[in-house]
């Protein structure tokens, strides 16, 4: 019975932990890291903010904050994302 209770407790703890990690962006890392990437395009007017993933992330990308409140990961080699990022840098400078 102790083994069953321990196993159920461990499974419950693991389920809660996994549910707390977002699908696309890992917020436990030293900065945002992406594991899944959106392959489409996001219209410029829908982009609220765009930032690069942390330098220690295995996969380089941009985290796009959209007008609907979602954070979307996009690969750094995507042309429209680079244009949006550079446009944001020019505005902030």
């Amino acid at each position: 019975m102790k083994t069953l209770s321990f196993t159920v407790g461990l499974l419950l703890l693991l389920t809660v932990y996994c549910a707390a990690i977002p699908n696309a962006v890992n917020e436990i890392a030293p900065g945002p890291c992406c594991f899944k990437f959106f392959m489409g395009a996001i219209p410029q007017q829908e982009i609220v903010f765009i930032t690069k993933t942390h330098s220690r992330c295995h996969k380089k990308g941009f985290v796009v904050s959209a007008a609907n409140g979602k954070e979307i990961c996009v690969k750094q080699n995507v042309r429209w994302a680079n244009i949006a990022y550079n446009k944001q840098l020019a505005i902030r400078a």
Side-chain angles (χ1 to χ4, degrees):
M1 186 67 178
K2 286 183 179 181
T3 305
L4 178 63
S5 296
F6 177 75
T7 304
V8 170
L10 188 60
L11 186 60
L12 181 62
L13 183 63
L14 184 61
T15 303
V16 170
Y17 176 76
C18 289
I21 298 175
N23 286 336
V25 179
N26 180 3
E27 296 183 14
I28 297 173
C33 289
C34 296
F35 302 102
K36 296 179 184 178
F37 293 92
F38 179 67
M39 300 304 288
I42 301 170
Q44 293 288 322
Q45 66 270 18
E46 294 295 317
I47 298 173
V48 176
F49 189 76
I50 185 168
T51 185
K52 286 186 176 182
T53 54
H54 193 271
S55 61
R56 292 175 57 193
C57 298
H58 290 291
K59 297 181 180 181
K60 303 298 179 200
F62 292 111
V63 179
V64 178
S65 297
N68 62 6
K70 293 184 180 179
E71 288 188 331
I72 303 158
C73 288
V74 181
K75 290 184 178 180
Q76 276 189 4
N77 62 352
V78 176
R79 187 174 185 271
W80 66 262
N82 275 291
I83 292 170
Y85 182 75
N86 291 329
K87 188 179 196 181
Q88 178 181 280
L89 287 178
I91 291 171
R92 294 165 86 196

